[in-house]
Amino acid sequence: MRLKHIVAVAALAMVAVGGAQAKEWKKIRMGTEGAYPPFNYTTSAGELVGFDIEIGNALCEEMKVECEWVTQDWDGIIPGLIAGKYDTILASMSITPEREEKISFSEKYYNTPPAIAVRKDSDLKGVTPADLAGKKIGAQSSTTHSIYAEQTFTDSDIVLYPTSEEYKLDLESGRVDAVGDDVMVLQGWIDSDEGSCCKILGTLKSVDEIHGKGAGIGVRKGDEDLAAMFSDAIAAIRANGKYKEINDKYFAFDAYGE
Amino acid sequence: MSMQNNYVSENFIESRKPPVLRSAGWSIARVAGTAWLTAWIISGLGILWFLAYSNDVVFSFGGPDGFGVTADPKFLEKYGPKLISGFETTLKLVAISIGLGALLSIPMTAMRMSKNRVLYSIAYGYVYFVRGTPLIAQIFLIYYGAGSFRPFLQDINLWWFFRDAWYCAVLALTLNTSAYQVEILRGSIQNMPKGQWEAAAALGLPKWLTFWKIILPQALIVSLRPYGNEIVLMIKGSAIVAIITILDLMGETRRAFSRTYDFQSYIWAAIMYLIMVETLRQIWEKIEQRLTRHLRR
């Protein structure tokens, strides 16, 4: 409480003294990956679409700011934010302690469990480390899912791919026996024509230390005011039904979690 | 006056004073050069400082133990062995690909220089295609392309080969480097004057012996540097195999970076690539000395 007070007073003082110096967020550049369907991806026409994108646009509308999307490879997405190529990361990024050392996050805007997918003809029975021992498991590198896989399935061979597109190709062709990712991502793929080869084997219990507290919007350290704006906007679109409207377009249940 | 004096002039030429040494002055070029060098030194020191800073290196003077350095090598302890294993993977991959590529380049060069239209066209098309497309596209095509032909490849019993990312990487890099090596080899062989062939023929030497003992040793001198360049390019070009899941030096570096967001992983990678290239340069120097020993006095 005390600390919050001080921060609030300091922030007020900065606004009062700084005036012109305090950043007024009128135009926000939003960084995203654009290769993570159904959350954010690029259509064959080159258009950026997905749950993240629609939520982002709704949030910007709610905050009455102009937003511009910038795509950036996943591996470089945090350095790109720090380097100022864009002001926020809205790319299904889980809020983890490791990432919080480098950047700050808004409150979560969704939280869904991780899962394992296999080919339909697979004889794998379960998703425990024993079930998957000796198997090849694909995951996207630099993701919480890859870290979880490396730490949990120690008897399996973890194969890392630059984007989710590639591990899907390799699961289909049989180079890997299973893949691990967010259940929504896998479900979205399996429901599409491209994913007809495969099925969800089961969901995993998410581990807070690895998977974090759900996906949030990342901002540079020092831009916590922006993160707070987003947190408020998330609460607002949750309340006014806009979130549900977008959610229902993509998912059969509430992606926000508890 | 004796006779002897006729040989020596009486009028010695006045010895001239040495020219006055003028200071070179700060010409624009010199200022620019010094500034450039300073910038390099500063960035070098900056990198060292960054490495020290990242590892919490502390220098202590005095105290009970006198001078001491303490560091917190958390990053190196955890990721150092992985980077070294990536280093070995890269070395192995490049060595195998360059070797196989060299083997393949010999018949290809013969075909490329052949008068037979069909053989020539095959070799020409191969070199044309490989040199005209990016390596990343070739690797992607071979690895993920093969994946979508799995039933066919299984029918012809080749899936075991294309299933494995390592084999795909070796295949792609071998095909790539071989095309460049064909051009290096062909260029240097055709660079030899025709008169050498004719002179050898006049002496009654068989063609293979002429090639082996006369043309090739001279052609190698010409092609040595381009070969070295090709290997250097391969060492660096091989970094893209990470996209097909091989954890080479670059793959391990990116993985370490994604876990820590610590830029020192890239600095260590740069140092390791430099070590590879520098070692190669030294070896090449030695080979050149040996091959050109007849040109030195």
Side-chain angles (χ1 to χ4, degrees):
Chain A
M1 279 311 258
R2 194 83 179 265
L3 189 71
K4 257 188 186 167
H5 252 97
I6 296 169
V7 171
V9 169
L12 256 174
M14 266 173 66
V15 172
V17 176
Q21 274 178 343
K23 260 187 251 169
E24 230 182 289
W25 296 99
K26 278 196 177 136
K27 191 169 176 192
I28 301 175
R29 288 165 303 158
M30 319 262 271
T32 196
E33 186 197 4
Y36 199 60
F39 289 102
N40 61 75
Y41 59 105
T42 317
T43 63
S44 48
E47 208 183 339
L48 201 57
V49 292
F51 180 76
D52 286 347
I53 311 298
E54 289 200 35
I55 289 285
N57 289 337
L59 292 175
C60 290
E61 204 174 294
E62 184 64 37
M63 298 185 294
K64 299 192 174 54
V65 293
E66 196 188 321
C67 286
E68 184 194 338
W69 291 94
V70 180
T71 52
Q72 160 75 47
D73 276 353
W74 183 250
D75 281 346
I77 205 161
I78 287 182
L81 175 71
I82 293 169
K85 287 185 183 167
Y86 32 83
D87 307 308
T88 65
I89 296 172
L90 206 165
S92 297
M93 183 174 273
S94 305
I95 307 164
T96 65
E98 247 182 354
R99 289 176 180 146
E100 278 182 312
E101 280 179 20
K102 301 285 169 183
I103 61 174
S104 297
F105 284 97
S106 72
E107 298 296 321
K108 69 162 183 177
Y109 65 96
Y110 79 82
N111 190 6
T112 52
I116 294 281
V118 294
R119 275 184 311 286
K120 278 183 178 151
D121 58 12
S122 168
D123 50 10
L124 288 170
K125 293 282 178 301
V127 294
T128 64
D131 288 323
L132 293 167
K135 301 289 177 189
K136 280 190 167 184
I137 304 175
Q140 180 177 2
S141 64
S142 316
T143 60
T144 53
H145 305 289
S146 72
I147 296 170
Y148 177 82
E150 284 181 340
Q151 291 185 3
T152 312
F153 304 115
T154 43
D155 293 330
S156 315
D157 188 7
I158 310 298
V159 186
L160 299 176
Y161 293 86
T163 76
S164 65
E165 309 293 339
E166 281 106 16
Y167 72 60
K168 290 171 186 169
L169 288 171
D170 265 7
L171 178 62
E172 193 177 353
S173 70
R175 284 199 183 108
V176 292
D177 304 296
V179 298
D181 209 329
D182 189 287
V183 68
M184 298 297 210
V185 172
L186 295 173
Q187 192 65 54
W189 171 56
I190 281 163
D191 290 343
S192 71
D193 291 345
E194 291 83 37
S196 58
C197 61
C198 304
K199 63 177 184 191
I200 303 263
L201 186 61
T203 54
L204 302 161
K205 188 146 174 37
S206 73
V207 183
D208 272 4
E209 296 85 68
I210 299 175
H211 293 106
K213 301 170 275 194
I217 295 152
V219 298
R220 279 182 292 274
K221 293 258 180 204
D223 285 349
E224 279 77 12
D225 59 325
L226 183 61
M229 274 168 71
F230 273 105
S231 300
D232 292 346
I234 293 166
I237 62 168
R238 282 291 292 172
N240 69 15
K242 184 81 189 158
Y243 187 99
K244 188 173 171 6
E245 192 187 304
I246 297 169
N247 181 82
D248 292 352
K249 268 167 78 177
Y250 289 89
F251 313 118
F253 54 94
D254 189 1
Y256 190 77
E258 298 91 57
Chain B
M1 286 283 153
S2 65
M3 281 291 282
Q4 303 169 337
N5 283 352
N6 288 341
Y7 296 104
V8 181
S9 166
E10 299 258 313
N11 306 315
F12 293 106
I13 300 168
E14 268 302 295
S15 70
R16 266 185 284 178
K17 280 181 190 152
V20 183
L21 273 179
R22 267 181 302 167
S23 113
W26 284 88
S27 64
I28 294 173
R30 190 171 169 200
V31 171
T34 311
W36 195 238
L37 190 66
T38 315
W40 275 108
I41 291 171
I42 289 173
S43 27
L45 290 177
I47 288 172
L48 282 182
W49 176 82
F50 181 80
L51 277 182
Y53 174 82
S54 305
N55 288 306
D56 294 325
V57 172
V58 177
F59 294 97
S60 51
F61 302 96
D65 308 323
F67 177 76
V69 182
T70 55
D72 174 25
K74 246 192 335 213
F75 179 91
L76 286 179
E77 262 169 21
K78 202 163 170 200
Y79 297 102
K82 289 189 170 155
L83 289 182
I84 288 172
S85 104
F87 178 84
E88 288 165 358
T89 306
T90 295
L91 271 187
K92 222 162 62 181
L93 188 63
V94 172
I96 294 175
S97 310
I98 290 281
L100 290 178
L103 286 181
L104 179 65
S105 75
I106 294 168
M108 275 293 169
T109 309
M111 282 165 71
R112 179 83 173 74
M113 288 161 56
S114 159
K115 289 205 179 69
N116 182 320
R117 232 41 235 130
V118 179
L119 292 182
Y120 167 82
S121 304
I122 294 172
Y124 181 82
Y126 160 68
V127 171
Y128 184 86
F129 174 76
V130 171
R131 293 206 312 163
T133 52
L135 177 58
I136 190 165
Q138 293 161 13
I139 287 195
F140 213 87
L141 213 61
I142 287 177
Y143 184 75
Y144 293 108
S148 41
F149 291 110
R150 179 183 176 185
F152 170 71
L153 289 168
Q154 265 174 332
D155 282 348
I156 58 170
N157 265 327
L158 276 177
W159 178 242
W160 62 270
F161 182 89
F162 285 98
R163 184 192 172 125
D164 195 304
W166 173 260
Y167 292 138
C168 286
V170 169
L171 177 68
L173 293 184
T174 299
L175 288 178
N176 185 276
T177 185
S178 177
Y180 286 94
Q181 291 188 28
V182 165
E183 287 302 277
I184 294 170
L185 208 54
R186 181 182 70 93
S188 60
I189 290 172
Q190 288 184 343
N191 188 40
M192 288 304 116
K194 227 179 158 197
Q196 301 224 6
W197 288 98
E198 291 166 353
L203 289 172
L205 294 178
K207 263 201 157 169
W208 66 268
L209 190 66
T210 312
F211 179 75
W212 197 246
K213 286 279 184 190
I214 297 167
I215 303 296
L216 197 63
Q218 300 180 83
L220 274 181
I221 299 172
V222 179
S223 59
L224 190 70
R225 290 290 159 186
Y227 262 124
N229 279 346
E230 174 55 23
I231 300 176
V232 169
L233 289 176
M234 271 317 264
I235 289 174
K236 295 181 290 181
S238 70
I240 62 171
V241 296
I243 68 160
I244 59 167
T245 74
I246 291 176
L247 289 168
D248 70 331
L249 179 50
M250 201 61 203
E252 288 289 5
T253 303
R254 281 167 49 166
R255 184 151 75 146
F257 179 74
S258 74
R259 296 281 189 281
T260 57
Y261 303 109
D262 189 340
F263 277 108
Q264 66 168 302
S265 50
Y266 283 104
I267 295 178
W268 291 118
I271 291 173
M272 287 189 186
Y273 277 111
L274 267 179
I275 290 172
M276 279 189 247
V277 173
E278 175 60 21
T279 311
L280 183 79
R281 202 183 66 81
Q282 294 286 349
I283 296 173
W284 241 241
E285 202 68 46
K286 292 274 177 312
I287 299 177
E288 189 175 75
Q289 299 274 318
R290 166 87 190 157
L291 281 177
T292 58
R293 63 195 186 283
H294 62 288
L295 296 177
R296 263 172 293 115
R297 302 163 198 233

